[in-house]
Each structure stands twice: as C-alpha cells, then as structure tokens.
Amino acid sequence: TITATPTFAFPTVTVNKQAHCRYGPSVAFLHAADLYPGDTGSVNGRFEYSGWLYIKFDKLKYYCWVAPSVVDVVGDVSTLYYTEPDLQSVGYSDYPPPQNISAVRNGDEVTISWDQVEMTTDHDRGYLIIAFVCQDGNYLWWTDSYPDQYSTSYTVRDEEGCAQPSSGKLYTVEKHGFSEPAIIPWPAP
C-alpha cells in the first residue's frame, strides 16, 4: 500500500487595502510594487523583528515584503521560518557604500555621520540605516531611510542595559537597488 505524505500548505493572503510591497521588512526599504485590494499571493516567510511577511504575489514574478496589516491571511504564519532580507539580490547599484562613517555618543544619543555619495537626480534614493539599538532595556531592530543624498547624519537613542552590543549598517540607495553595506563603528555606552 502507498502512504500519502502530507505537503506543507503555505499561508495565502488577499490584500485588503491599497499598499506598497517593499524590498525589506519595513517602510524604510525601497518600494517594490503597488498592491491593490483583491491581489492574492502566498506567504513564504516572516521577519523576526517586525512581523512583516515575505510574499510571492500571483501578479508578480518576485517576492517582496508587506506589513501584516494590509493583507488578510488564511493559514498559520507562525509555522513559517524567519527570512532575512537579501539586499544584494535586489536589482543592482552603480554606487559605493557611504565612506568616512563616524558614530559619536553623547549620553544616550548616538549621532551617525558620513560623506555624501554623489548620485544623479534620477538615481538618488538617499541612504538606509539598519541597526540594533538598546532602548528602555529592550534590544530593538531599527531602520531609517533618507529621501536624498544630501542628508548625511542621523541621531538615534541608544542606552546601556542590553545583553548584546548595539550595531548598525549603512547603505547607499539608488532606484535600482542597494550598495554593499558599510559597518557603522558603534560607540559603546
């Protein structure tokens, strides 16, 4: 006799409001596609720190990330593996990562600064920071993006009191994708 082997059923989604699909699991990442109510797809992964879902929409040939609030899910996403965004597989970048990065602590604030990466106006999408910071005793995944190449510093609250050290990466962002990451030399509290 033949015994049937159960196959895993990936959760499915239907978009419940107009939204954006992105190349990473927060609004700080580049826009990947427009979504409209009724668009459907299947969930292939989830992000550990933001709850965003990694989805292959039926109308697209690639995967992208969406906030769980913009889709109705059928199935159990908690059964899915955590997925990490791979920014180097998204398009391409003709621009280098930012250079001469510094991070200076003033009490519970860290100010990150870098040299401007000159981009054409058409390509310019600014910069992306992905960091882990300590706030109120919690070790938090944190992202922020900049609209253009002229914003070259940012200040974030980062306190002592977490078991792991804070850290971060900085990317140049252009309309085609992301540069290689540059490590932020994070100052200890």
Side-chain angles (χ1 to χ4, degrees):
T1 62
I2 297 174
T3 304
T5 303
T7 58
F8 182 78
F10 287 95
T12 59
V13 296
T14 302
V15 175
N16 59 34
K17 61 181 146 190
Q18 187 172 346
H20 299 286
C21 201
R22 299 192 176 268
Y23 286 117
S26 85
V27 296
F29 291 87
L30 278 175
H31 169 271
D34 290 320
L35 301 175
Y36 299 96
D39 289 346
T40 58
S42 60
V43 185
N44 194 46
R46 60 192 171 119
F47 191 63
E48 181 175 7
Y49 305 110
S50 71
W52 280 46
L53 303 173
Y54 190 57
I55 299 174
K56 166 61 177 76
F57 284 96
D58 299 333
K59 71 178 191 176
L60 301 175
K61 295 182 181 189
Y62 52 88
Y63 287 86
C64 54
W65 294 89
V66 298
S69 61
V70 303
V71 292
D72 296 322
V73 179
V74 175
D76 186 0
V77 295
S78 71
T79 62
L80 298 173
Y81 290 113
Y82 291 125
T83 302
E84 290 289 324
D86 180 5
L87 299 183
Q88 304 310 265
S89 70
V90 175
Y92 63 90
S93 176
D94 289 331
Y95 298 94
Q99 301 294 309
N100 296 318
I101 303 168
S102 66
V104 177
R105 179 176 293 281
N106 182 7
D108 289 343
E109 291 186 339
V110 172
T111 300
I112 305 157
S113 302
W114 58 92
D115 289 347
Q116 175 188 346
V117 176
E118 292 187 23
M119 293 180 265
T120 66
T121 303
D122 180 50
H123 287 179
D124 185 6
R125 298 301 184 272
Y127 307 97
L128 169 69
I129 292 178
I130 301 174
F132 282 93
V133 297
C134 185
Q135 294 180 354
D136 302 321
N138 299 303
Y139 191 61
L140 305 173
W141 182 74
W142 172 84
T143 61
D144 206 349
S145 62
Y146 305 87
D148 59 51
Q149 62 188 297
Y150 305 105
S151 301
T152 58
S153 71
Y154 191 78
T155 301
V156 62
R157 185 167 55 101
D158 180 54
E159 305 161 341
E160 61 182 324
C162 290
Q164 297 178 328
S166 297
S167 62
K169 295 177 182 178
L170 179 63
Y171 299 80
T172 301
V173 184
E174 62 138 308
K175 73 176 185 179
H176 299 109
F178 302 86
S179 72
E180 292 285 329
I183 302 300
I184 298 169
W186 209 276

